[in-house]
Amino acid sequence: MHFTPIQYLLLALLAFGCRLTSCSKILVLVPFPAPSHWLWLDHFVQEMLHRGHQVTAVTNFPSKTRNPNYTEILIDPPYDIPHYFPISDIFDSKYSSDWSNLMLYWKAGLTTTQYALENVNVQQFIEQDDTDFDLVISEQFYQEAFLMFAHKYRAPIVTIGTLGHADFMDRAMGLLTPWSFVPHPILLYVDDMTFSQRCYNFLLSLTDAVIRKFYYLPRQDKLAKKYFAAIEGPESFPSVYELEKSISVMLINSHMSTSPPRPSITGLVNVAGAHIKPAKPLPVDIQRFLDGATEGAIFFSLGSYVKSSDMPKDKLKAFFEVFRNLKQRVLWKFEDESMVNVPKNVMIRKWLPQSDVLAHRKIVLFITHGGMFGSQEGIFRGVPMLFIPFYGDQHRNALKAERAGYALTLNFADVNAITLGSRINELLTNPTYTRLGKKASELFRDNLVPPMEEAMHWIEYVIRHKGAKHLKATSVDLSWWQYLMWDVVAFFAGTLVLSTYIIYKILTAFCEKSTKHKSKDQKRNLISPKAKNSKKVKNT
């Protein structure tokens, strides 16, 4: 991000002021073992340390630098994701359906939460009673049992949502997601849904909400009460559901330029791009390789979890065949640097500084799996992208980018030399993708304040105001039928029906009485003339 000297001065003054006045003790909870999640959240940790706060983090990843204000509670050994969720399943497109993706989130959330809570270091930390915290920050990603730390320390909660908005986040903040035009996060729909899409969105969203409330959260609650039992009697614990409703602010990895408009509420704050900093110098060999790319360079990375080196041989062969015939150079994050027969125009490295590479002037295309963080870095740098999504939010990110006009998508199952070559050729030869990529970058960078500054403001705001309870809408305690005023509609409808019924009964009774009087009169008037004449004769 491009800051002016004045902005840098203001940031420095803010940090210095914190050191002098209101530095706080903050507990950061990141039990989910995905490296990409920690790489993003660590930017927030480093910024808090830079401002002088004392940070304790529950994490799977040891820090590479020392800081006297930083304490680690390491989940060691970390959860072995590839063992329980094999990469072969991902390459085989096992999580391509909506329902399998939902189950993936629930299963991953419950298993990784249990693993982290039963870790010896975490258990010892739970049992400690010689410290306190001014704030608890938790990743908003299927580890709700960890919110019990906020109860332990009687501290307010801020969460950071790595994957963007979701229905359950809205509900926790007192907002009901309108399913009529806001698709479920895992669906490849846009806000302009057809009738059949709205029907399916309703069914999937309702299923998710019901299973989350009656199956998933009760199990997170059971884990919390089991592993926090040393604090006090579990019967005195609030439920995880109640703790979720007590969250003061949610910092969401979303941006108005990449997501269609949706209703919001105080406490939901978009901070997408907070991790992106001005580009740093590249390692010498990489810099030289890219500088020498007279026809431009392509950057290829499948992220921190999916490894290119584990790719099936037929797919790997297709990539090498296509790359070998390109005029451009290719910089590939490939985890096996001993790979032989690598084309001359291809450089492979186990690790690459992704955002800094994308900032290089010679990068003309980014081939990515479509993870949230890499997608944002590609947008920020204005680079056209080819998405090869596998699971989770990656398909949705690909859809958004393709719809915006600066990307194309190729499902991994469809990868071969022809499909891959044609997609790459289209992206390299059609200037529209580059033009729209630059436009997307312009929109993504156009913020009132830098996203990280926005995040720090709300974190410190919640600390200053002891949870900032005034931010919380009372709607969080309303049932859905109260929120939608169905109870009021039912009351007025019932009143109207009852009133109509009473009026009908009164009118019916009145009409019946009038009818009886009329019938009597008619009977009198129907006396025969003969009877009348005989009566007259008698009288005579």
Side-chain angles (χ1 to χ4, degrees), residues 382-394:
V383 180
M385 289 181 272
L386 173 60
F387 284 82
I388 304 177
F390 293 95
Y391 63 93
D393 65 321
Q394 296 166 11

Side-chain angles (χ1 to χ4, degrees), residues 175-188:
L175 176 70
L176 278 187
T177 309
W179 296 338
S180 55
F181 68 95
V182 178
H184 190 280
I186 67 171
L187 291 181
L188 301 184

Side-chain angles (χ1 to χ4, degrees), residues 272-331:
H275 68 295
I276 304 174
K277 295 180 172 61
K280 297 176 183 177
L282 294 170
V284 175
D285 58 337
I286 296 173
Q287 183 74 41
R288 188 182 300 118
F289 179 77
L290 294 178
D291 287 345
T294 56
E295 298 292 332
I298 297 170
F299 178 46
F300 180 23
S301 172
L302 293 180
S304 59
Y305 177 51
V306 178
K307 294 178 172 59
S308 295
S309 58
D310 293 331
M311 203 182 292
K313 289 183 179 180
D314 61 321
K315 304 297 184 184
L316 199 59
K317 181 181 178 182
F319 279 103
F320 276 122
E321 183 178 337
V322 171
F323 291 164
R324 183 177 285 109
N325 294 314
L326 290 174
K327 296 178 182 179
Q328 291 76 20
R329 290 186 174 183
V330 179
L331 181 60

Side-chain angles (χ1 to χ4, degrees), residues 140 144 147 159 166-177 212 217 240-250 265-268 471-477:
Q140 186 74 54
E144 291 81 1
L147 295 177
T159 60
D167 295 12
F168 66 86
M169 298 180 193
D170 289 347
R171 291 192 294 273
M173 299 304 289
L175 176 70
L176 278 187
T177 309
R212 179 179 176 80
L217 283 183
V240 166
Y241 177 70
E242 291 170 323
L243 287 168
E244 207 174 37
K245 292 198 299 181
S246 71
I247 295 170
S248 299
V249 168
M250 290 184 181
I265 197 169
T266 304
L268 286 173
L471 296 178
K472 203 71 177 183
T474 56
S475 56
V476 75
D477 295 317

Side-chain angles (χ1 to χ4, degrees), residues 153-428:
Y153 296 111
R154 302 297 191 268
I157 312 169
V158 169
T159 60
I160 304 180
T162 42
L163 294 187
H165 290 275
D167 295 12
F168 66 86
M169 298 180 193
D170 289 347
R171 291 192 294 273
M173 299 304 289
L175 176 70
L176 278 187
T177 309
W179 296 338
S180 55
F181 68 95
V182 178
H184 190 280
I186 67 171
L187 291 181
L188 301 184
Y189 294 165
V190 294
D191 51 341
D192 186 16
M193 291 181 280
T194 64
F195 177 76
S196 60
Q197 287 175 337
R198 285 189 287 120
C199 289
Y200 185 65
N201 184 50
F202 173 84
L203 290 174
L204 185 72
S205 300
L206 181 63
T207 301
D208 187 10
V210 170
I211 293 178
R212 179 179 176 80
K213 184 171 182 180
F214 296 106
Y215 170 80
Y216 174 75
L217 283 183
R219 277 156 180 76
Q220 285 283 353
D221 198 51
K222 187 176 179 181
L223 288 174
K225 290 177 179 177
K226 175 181 178 181
Y227 290 102
F228 282 82
I231 305 174
E232 53 190 276
E235 64 279 355
S236 66
F237 289 175
S239 68
V240 166
Y241 177 70
E242 291 170 323
L243 287 168
E244 207 174 37
K245 292 198 299 181
S246 71
I247 295 170
S248 299
V249 168
M250 290 184 181
L251 304 174
I252 310 296
N253 190 16
S254 182
H255 194 275
M256 60 184 176
S257 70
T258 57
S259 298
R262 59 180 288 151
S264 189
I265 197 169
T266 304
L268 286 173
V269 182
N270 291 338
V271 295
H275 68 295
I276 304 174
K277 295 180 172 61
K280 297 176 183 177
L282 294 170
V284 175
D285 58 337
I286 296 173
Q287 183 74 41
R288 188 182 300 118
F289 179 77
L290 294 178
D291 287 345
T294 56
E295 298 292 332
I298 297 170
F299 178 46
F300 180 23
S301 172
L302 293 180
S304 59
Y305 177 51
V306 178
K307 294 178 172 59
S308 295
S309 58
D310 293 331
M311 203 182 292
K313 289 183 179 180
D314 61 321
K315 304 297 184 184
L316 199 59
K317 181 181 178 182
F319 279 103
F320 276 122
E321 183 178 337
V322 171
F323 291 164
R324 183 177 285 109
N325 294 314
L326 290 174
K327 296 178 182 179
Q328 291 76 20
R329 290 186 174 183
V330 179
L331 181 60
W332 188 352
K333 179 184 174 292
F334 196 91
E335 295 72 24
D336 181 9
E337 292 186 357
S338 65
M339 184 73 180
V340 296
N341 298 323
V342 177
K344 293 181 180 179
N345 65 327
V346 176
M347 174 185 278
I348 61 175
R349 290 290 183 273
K350 289 182 180 179
W351 178 88
L352 290 162
Q354 183 166 276
S355 183
D356 300 331
V357 168
L358 290 169
H360 194 281
R361 69 187 188 283
K362 291 295 184 71
I363 296 294
V364 293
L365 177 63
F366 180 27
I367 303 177
T368 173
H369 63 306
M372 181 72 82
F373 315 119
S375 300
Q376 291 171 354
E377 289 164 6
I379 295 169
F380 187 87
R381 304 301 183 190
V383 180
M385 289 181 272
L386 173 60
F387 284 82
I388 304 177
F390 293 95
Y391 63 93
D393 65 321
Q394 296 166 11
H395 294 277
R396 180 187 61 189
N397 298 334
L399 174 70
K400 290 178 181 178
E402 189 165 5
R403 185 177 172 83
Y406 55 83
L408 290 177
T409 301
L410 177 60
N411 290 325
F412 187 75
D414 300 328
V415 169
N416 57 52
I418 296 174
T419 57
L420 181 63
S422 64
R423 296 291 201 290
I424 291 177
N425 182 64
E426 171 67 12
L427 288 161
L428 292 177

